[in-house]
Each structure stands twice: as structure tokens, then as C-alpha cells.
Amino acid sequence: AMGDKISSDPRNELFNSYIKLVRDLSPEFFLFENVKGFKTMYEGRFFEKTVNGFASCGYNIHFKILKSSEFGVPQIRERVFIFGTKSDKNFQFPKSSIGGVGKLKSFKNVGEAINDLSKKDTSFQNHIILNHSETVVSRYKLIPEGGKLPSPEKLPKEIRRSNFGSTYERLDRKKVSKTLVPGNNAFPIHPTLNRSLTPREAARIQTFPDNHIFEGTRRKQCILVGNAVPPLLASKIANEIIKHSKDLHKESSNLILEKNNSLNVINFAKAKSKKTNFNFVDFFSGAGGISIGLKNAGMNCVLANDFDKNVRLTHLKNFPNINFVHGDVRNKNIKNEIFNQLDGKKIDLVVGGPPCQGFSIFGKRRFKNTKKYNPLDDDRNDLVKTYFEYIKKIKPQWIIMENVSGILNLGGGIYIDFIKKKLNLLNYKSFDYRIVNTADYGVPQKRKRFILIANNTGHIIPWPKPKYFLEPKEWQLPYRTVGEAISDLANKASQKHFSNHEPMKHSEDITERYSYVEEGKKMEVDKLPKKLQYAKYTGQKIKNFSHVYRRLHRNEPSITLVPGHNAFPIHPWLNRLITAREAARLQTFPDEIEFVGSSKDQCIQVGNAFPCLVAQRIGETILKTISNNWKPNTKSKLADYSILDKKYYEQKNQNTN
């Protein structure tokens, strides 16, 4: 299912895994199901990638939206179904029919499905009644059959609250149910009793037989029931698949795409465009991690810039419709070219991570006291100053700046003081910065980056709420892992399907050394056989650098990826370094992005990139902030609850008071 109603939710990429399974298993047929909105959500982007992905695997694609209530299920549950077949035989989805199939019963309404369960009966498993508080029961008593909770002003003061989806909605015995959604308290209210449905009652409405048992806590049972495809509907689709295999269908009215072709989703899905006309410029763009993320959030890249020749080729390959200016932004001719291309265009956001070698934690800062080194005088940091020159000229309403985490404390705060001074001079009074761990936002990599967000509009700085946790509570999501991201790339066959996925050819000695590195740990040189402790050509004892001889763990996020040909870590279970494609997965680049250049150049581009997914989350929260006009005194409680990092704002208020 589509995750969390935001396009940056990593669970939205699970369809890629489904496509890979289909390609690797190569079944004669497959059936894919999702929510109705999958067809048009995010301008049909996920639908298009999914359908085209299946077709590229050699399947004819049949598509239809089916309404469960038209097939004997007492519930208005509409779902997208995609059927793929290698055969050129006709296929038809089932036509409306009310009857049951085998032992699966059909019901014409809610009452017929659950009336016999109105009394607590211990003979029915999963028939667990939730103990509601007196306040909740008082609200339930005011809801008529088939109705919703009255508006707050019509409620007694002691039980007032805003209406809340299906939680305060009572079913009608003579009608079918609305779509059941998973959750402990999300099921609607019983038609005649002042309580929510039990898991067993919901299972009846889903047409599960009573002998189908759901395991886990009551909450888990509700989730299992609410997420399911109604068995009765599934059985009727299965019957049509059997007919298809026997060539019994007369026509294929639902064929939308023939194998190995492509579908133009705009023509098919007729998705409503959600373009915001929010334009941005991406300086020091690298391979385009930030641009990809912001574009997926709904923003429009007007121009990108970098001085690396291989980055230019990567951009031309992947983003042919985006203006790219190749060259050093300090160069007068490059400045003129950029300003000429931007002339007359509204630019809402300038984003970039100016290289700050002079600020780097690996640079001269450690010699500052002995050599009287001032990072602000370092020529390499002219790029930081130049970045603000462009901001002054372009005058965007928003700014995003990212960099290595070590610069936050450089020189006792000299870097931050410089940034603050520039922002104030340019009238960007609303700004904030923090060190972000990308694993908190669904990136399978513990990568800490400095991020600054600023605006001159007075809006809040919208830090997105973390969704993934190192030690998650029961209702929270754990950090995404290396195994989750790259397991399907371990077999040699995958090298034919994915670009930038050619493993390095290691010498026998290096491969053997890798074999001694335990999963999730560094190599211990002294524990190697003597012959492997010394370099073959120099005779010198080898040294264990931080990343070169470190193996990733499949059940943990990756360590920070650093650019370079030999700097990527070792695969969790193969005795080789990870490939550029595997590293790109850990950076959340889409598989269709192709990195141009030598193997070393590809690794540098991937390692230097900003994870696409984090850029997308930031872009989404900025757009929501603008559309909802969230300012310090107008920010909604819902925003704190579901979107923004409430903990951050609480700390901010405490520091202010």
C-alpha cells in the first residue's frame, strides 16, 4: 500500500521489490493490488513506474479498479488490481456477482454479516471487545445508526472534540460498511452497541471465514484484518485467472499495456496535476540527489550547476530537460551565464552544498592554533561566500544549505557566525540549522549532515518529523537496513538488469582478506594469516583504514559512505566492496538514475551525494508550510502531530523562554 500519504515514505518503493520478485521468479501470471489512489497519486508517478516495470519483464498488463461491494462483500472497498501474464490469451476481470464461492459466504449488508456477534461469545476467536472510557462511550451514545459524531458545539462541554474519521462513525445494519482501515481504534462503531467493532466482526465484513484466526495483540489483529483483500473478491479474481489459463475468455477488455512496451501515465491515468510552480536552483548539484528529492516533492528545478565534467554527463543522461551550467561559479563568465538563464524567472528556493574543504574536519582546522589558520581566509571557502552572492542576486524566498556535520563547531562557531551574519544582512530573519541523521528519515545509512533552512517570508522552519528509530517503540518503525536495500543485487544475474553494478575485480589476496572480516566489523590485521598481513608489492604491513576494510551488516543501516574508488565498505556477505549501484541504493537514488564516468568517478558521485529521500522530506514540509501558511502563531496541532518535529519546537520554545 502507499505509505503514510507522503511520497517520500520509503514503503512506497516496495513496488520495486515486487517487480524484482516477478522478474527473478518469472511466474506465468502475477496479481498486484493496491489502494484506488495508486492510479493517480503523486501525478501517477508510482503507477507508471510499476506498470512499465512489469511490462519490461515480459508481461501483458491488464488493469481494473474493483469495488468489493459489487462482489458480495458488505463493504465499499475499492482497490486497484494489475494482472500480468506472459500469455497472449484473452483475460477479463470478474463481472459483478453477489454469490459466495465455496465456503466463503457473501453478505448483502453489515447486519447480515455481524448481527449474530452482538453478544460477547467466547466461542468466536478474535472477538475481543475494546474497553472504552466513559467519555468515549458517552460520545458513542449520541451517534445515530449510520451517522457521525455531532459537531463540537452540539456536544456537552465535558466530552467535546472534533470529529475524527471512522472512529466516531456508526455503521448501519441495512447498508454496507465504508472501507475498514487498520488500527486499534480506527474501526467504526457497532450499529447498535456503544463500542467499536471487534476484529472478528471486521473479519466478517471482510468475508473471512470464522475459522481463520488472526494472531498477535488485539491491535495487531485489527491491523491484519484492516489491511487484507476480502477473500471473497480474491477468490472471484482467481476463478478468472483459471479461465485465462484455459483460454476460456472471449476478449481482453482490460488490457492496457503489451509486454516490453511503455505506458504514458498522463494519458491513461488522467492524473490531476499538482504542480506548485515552486522553482529552485541547485548549486554544486553533484549527481542530483537534492534535485531528485525536491522534484519528487513537487518542486521544479530550473537550473543546476557543478564544475565536475562527469557530473555534467550524468545530468545530461538523466535530466535532459533541466538547464545545466558546467563550470566554477566564481568564474565571471559562468556567473553571467547563470544570471542570463535565470533572467525573468521566479526562483523560490536556492539550494546547495558549497564544498568547504577549508572548513572540513579533515582539513587544516586541526592546525589552527599552531599555524594561526583562519578558515574564512582559505581560498577554498570562496565558494561559501560566492553562494551567498548568488542568493543576494537571485533573492529567493527560501534557502537550503547542506554540508558536513563537522563544520558546526569549527573554530568555536566561526562558520555559523559567518552564516548568521550573511543571513541577517540579506534579511533572512527566519532560519535554523541542525545536524540531521538521515537514518531517521528512512535512509538505510547513518549519515549525519549539517542542514540550514532559511526564509524571508516569516514562515516557521519546518523540520520534518523523524519516522524511523534506532530503538523503536511498538508503534514506531525501526531504522531501514542494508539488507533491505541491496539484498536483491547480490546475485550475478542482477548485473544484467542494473547499470553501475559491475563489482570491482579484487586480487586473490584482497578477496581472501575480506573473507576474514566479520559482518558489521572492521578487519583486525593481527588476526589475519601472516601472508595476508603484508602488501604483496611493497612488503609493508597493511593498515586498516576506517571504511576500506569494514564489512556492512545486513540487519543494520550502513555506515556513512565516503566518496572514492576503494573507500566503499565490504558487502555484508560477499567478499567484495559494494558496487556504485548498491551504494546508490543506500543513498536512496532511484535505480533508473545512471552515473556516467569511470568506476571511480561513479563512486565519487554517489558517495558525495545528498540522500534523495531526505531532500524530498524537507521539500514536502516546506511546501506544506507554505500552503498552510504555518507561521509561529498559526501552526496547527495536526502539523505538530503528524508532520513536524514537535520535540524540536518544544526545545526551541524552552530556549526562548
Side-chain angles (χ1 to χ4, degrees):
M2 301 301 290
D4 216 23
K5 292 187 179 180
I6 55 173
S7 62
S8 60
D9 191 315
R11 290 170 292 179
N12 291 338
E13 297 297 330
L14 285 174
F15 63 82
N16 279 333
S17 298
Y18 195 114
I19 294 170
K20 292 161 194 165
L21 280 173
V22 168
R23 184 183 60 238
D24 293 342
L25 296 175
S26 191
E28 189 67 22
F29 319 117
F30 72 83
L31 183 68
F32 175 96
E33 174 267 347
N34 218 297
V35 296
K36 180 183 178 182
F38 181 69
K39 179 183 174 184
T40 55
M41 199 176 290
Y42 313 120
E43 298 181 321
R45 186 167 71 243
F46 292 112
F47 179 82
E48 179 179 38
K49 290 175 69 175
T50 301
V51 169
N52 289 339
F54 286 140
S56 70
C57 295
Y59 290 88
N60 288 330
I61 306 300
H62 299 258
F63 167 86
K64 195 168 185 180
I65 296 175
L66 299 178
K67 185 183 293 186
S68 299
S69 59
E70 295 178 354
F71 297 90
V73 180
Q75 180 187 181
I76 302 173
R77 190 182 189 92
E78 293 184 282
R79 285 294 186 271
V80 159
F81 287 93
I82 297 172
F83 174 69
T85 174
K86 290 184 175 180
S87 170
D88 291 324
K89 298 174 183 176
N90 293 326
F91 174 78
Q92 288 182 334
F93 281 100
K95 296 179 180 178
S96 299
S97 60
I98 303 301
V101 175
K103 295 182 179 180
L104 296 177
K105 298 178 180 179
S106 65
F107 304 100
K108 63 182 180 181
N109 55 42
V110 169
E112 188 175 298
I114 70 170
N115 275 349
D116 64 310
L117 296 173
S118 59
K119 293 183 179 180
K120 188 174 182 180
D121 189 337
T122 55
S123 65
F124 291 101
Q125 294 195 53
N126 305 121
H127 191 36
I128 307 167
I129 295 173
L130 189 63
N131 293 321
H132 301 292
S133 68
E134 290 184 9
T135 300
V136 170
V137 173
S138 297
R139 293 183 186 130
Y140 286 173
K141 290 179 179 178
L142 298 174
I143 303 174
E145 186 168 358
K148 293 184 178 182
L149 184 70
S151 57
E153 64 272 11
K154 295 181 180 179
L155 296 175
K157 288 184 178 180
E158 62 271 16
I159 63 170
R160 282 183 183 174
R161 64 158 294 160
S162 299
N163 205 348
F164 192 72
S166 60
T167 303
Y168 286 107
E169 187 167 348
R170 191 183 291 278
L171 297 180
D172 191 318
R173 287 167 289 178
K174 297 180 181 180
K175 297 180 180 180
V176 295
S177 168
K178 297 186 70 172
T179 301
L180 298 179
V181 292
N184 195 30
N185 296 318
F187 284 156
I189 308 166
H190 191 281
T192 60
L193 302 175
N194 293 317
R195 61 167 176 78
S196 58
L197 295 181
T198 67
R200 177 52 56 197
E201 288 166 333
R204 283 274 191 91
I205 292 173
Q206 285 274 59
T207 66
F208 278 97
D210 289 342
N211 62 358
H212 189 92
I213 309 304
F214 302 89
E215 299 293 342
T217 63
R218 185 187 187 281
R219 177 176 177 271
K220 292 291 186 182
Q221 294 170 26
C222 290
I223 291 173
L224 289 171
V225 175
N227 275 330
V229 173
L232 183 58
L233 174 58
S235 67
K236 293 184 178 182
I237 297 174
N239 284 337
E240 298 305 319
I241 294 175
I242 292 172
K243 290 180 183 179
H244 167 70
S245 69
K246 297 179 179 180
D247 199 15
L248 299 178
H249 287 134
K250 294 182 179 180
E251 59 180 338
S252 288
S253 56
N254 306 114
L255 177 67
I256 63 166
L257 183 61
E258 294 183 351
K259 59 187 72 171
N260 300 316
N261 288 321
S262 296
L263 178 75
N264 185 325
V265 72
I266 299 301
N267 292 340
F268 175 75
K270 296 180 181 178
K272 293 181 180 179
S273 177
K274 294 184 178 179
K275 290 184 179 179
T276 61
N277 295 319
F278 190 98
N279 297 329
F280 70 92
V281 176
D282 187 0
F283 287 104
F284 320 104
S285 64
I290 291 179
S291 283
I292 291 170
L294 296 181
K295 182 177 181 294
N296 286 342
M299 297 180 181
N300 176 46
C301 185
V302 172
L303 179 145
N305 153 264
D306 202 285
F307 85 112
D308 188 298
K309 63 179 182 180
N310 293 301
V311 165
R312 172 181 171 273
L313 295 174
T314 294
H315 265 262
L316 292 175
K317 177 79 175 179
N318 298 284
F319 319 113
N321 297 322
I322 296 177
N323 291 332
F324 185 86
V325 176
H326 174 232
D328 189 330
V329 289
R330 294 170 294 188
N331 182 284
K332 184 177 179 180
N333 291 333
I334 296 299
K335 286 183 179 180
N336 290 335
E337 183 178 354
I338 290 174
F339 290 137
N340 285 337
Q341 290 205 28
L342 296 181
D343 186 40
K345 296 179 180 177
K346 177 180 73 73
I347 305 301
D348 303 279
L349 166 69
V350 165
V351 60
C356 304
Q357 290 91 340
F359 286 126
S360 171
I361 58 176
F362 303 110
K364 291 184 179 180
R365 77 172 195 164
R366 51 191 152 174
F367 305 119
K368 176 177 179 291
N369 293 331
T370 56
K371 296 189 176 182
K372 297 182 180 179
Y373 170 68
N374 184 343
L376 295 178
D377 294 331
D378 193 311
D379 289 342
R380 295 174 295 178
N381 289 332
D382 281 349
L383 290 171
V384 182
K385 301 173 184 176
T386 304
Y387 184 64
F388 280 96
E389 289 178 15
Y390 279 94
I391 290 171
K392 182 179 180 179
K393 177 76 173 179
I394 297 171
K395 296 182 176 63
Q397 292 185 332
W398 289 79
I399 301 169
I400 298 176
M401 184 175 178
E402 67 89 18
N403 224 297
V404 295
S405 60
I407 58 179
L408 185 61
N409 299 316
L410 175 66
I414 189 172
Y415 178 84
I416 296 303
D417 288 343
F418 172 76
I419 298 296
K420 288 179 179 178
K421 182 185 293 184
K422 286 292 184 182
L423 290 171
N424 281 312
L425 284 173
L426 298 176
N427 202 33
Y428 291 90
K429 304 297 184 183
S430 180
F431 67 86
D432 199 73
Y433 51 86
R434 59 160 53 178
I435 301 298
V436 167
N437 184 350
T438 60
D440 293 345
Y441 300 98
V443 178
Q445 179 187 178
K446 294 178 180 177
R447 186 183 189 93
K448 293 186 177 181
R449 300 295 290 182
F450 165 87
I451 298 178
L452 176 141
I453 306 175
N455 66 59
N456 59 15
T457 62
H459 288 103
I460 61 169
I461 302 301
W463 295 111
K465 187 176 184 179
K467 296 287 186 179
Y468 295 80
F469 301 88
L470 178 62
E471 297 179 353
K473 296 182 174 64
E474 183 185 2
W475 63 88
Q476 294 174 330
L477 296 169
Y479 278 164
R480 295 180 69 221
T481 65
V482 171
E484 182 183 341
I486 69 170
S487 289
D488 65 300
L489 298 176
N491 61 73
K492 290 186 178 180
S494 66
Q495 295 170 26
K496 298 178 182 179
H497 298 292
F498 298 96
S499 63
N500 310 115
H501 188 39
E502 182 68 30
M504 285 185 62
K505 296 178 180 179
H506 304 296
S507 69
E508 290 184 6
D509 283 353
I510 290 177
T511 300
E512 192 174 354
R513 284 192 193 108
Y514 289 164
S515 71
Y516 285 93
V517 183
E518 296 180 31
E519 188 167 356
K521 295 183 179 180
K522 293 182 180 181
M523 182 181 69
E524 297 184 53
V525 178
D526 293 335
K527 291 186 178 181
L528 294 174
K530 285 291 183 182
K531 68 169 186 173
L532 298 177
Q533 291 184 15
Y534 296 89
K536 182 176 181 179
Y537 297 106
T538 66
Q540 299 292 318
K541 193 169 185 177
I542 63 173
K543 296 180 181 180
N544 183 10
F545 298 101
S546 58
H547 291 77
V548 178
Y549 286 114
R550 181 163 180 171
R551 189 184 291 277
L552 299 177
H553 198 295
R554 73 191 79 188
N555 296 325
E556 298 175 3
S558 169
I559 56 176
T560 301
L561 299 179
V562 293
H565 191 49
N566 296 316
F568 283 159
I570 309 170
H571 191 280
W573 60 89
L574 300 177
N575 293 319
R576 62 165 175 79
L577 301 185
I578 61 173
T579 65
R581 176 54 53 199
E582 288 165 332
R585 285 274 189 90
L586 299 177
Q587 289 276 55
T588 63
F589 274 95
D591 287 340
E592 59 266 27
I593 297 299
E594 185 175 341
F595 305 93
V596 182
S598 67
S599 178
K600 179 181 178 181
D601 294 326
Q602 295 168 25
C603 291
I604 289 174
Q605 289 177 56
V606 175
N608 272 331
F610 187 82
C612 312
L613 195 61
V614 180
Q616 187 171 343
R617 284 293 307 278
I618 292 172
E620 287 169 343
T621 53
I622 286 177
L623 291 180
K624 284 182 181 294
T625 297
I626 294 169
S627 64
N628 291 294
N629 197 29
W630 285 333
K631 295 188 176 180
N633 297 324
T634 61
K635 180 166 54 69
S636 68
K637 291 182 179 180
L638 178 60
D640 281 336
Y641 175 76
S642 61
I643 300 169
L644 304 176
D645 190 353
K646 186 177 180 182
K647 183 178 179 182
Y648 159 74
Y649 290 103
E650 288 174 345
Q651 292 174 344
K652 194 81 172 174
N653 291 335
Q654 289 175 4
N655 295 335
T656 308
N657 294 336

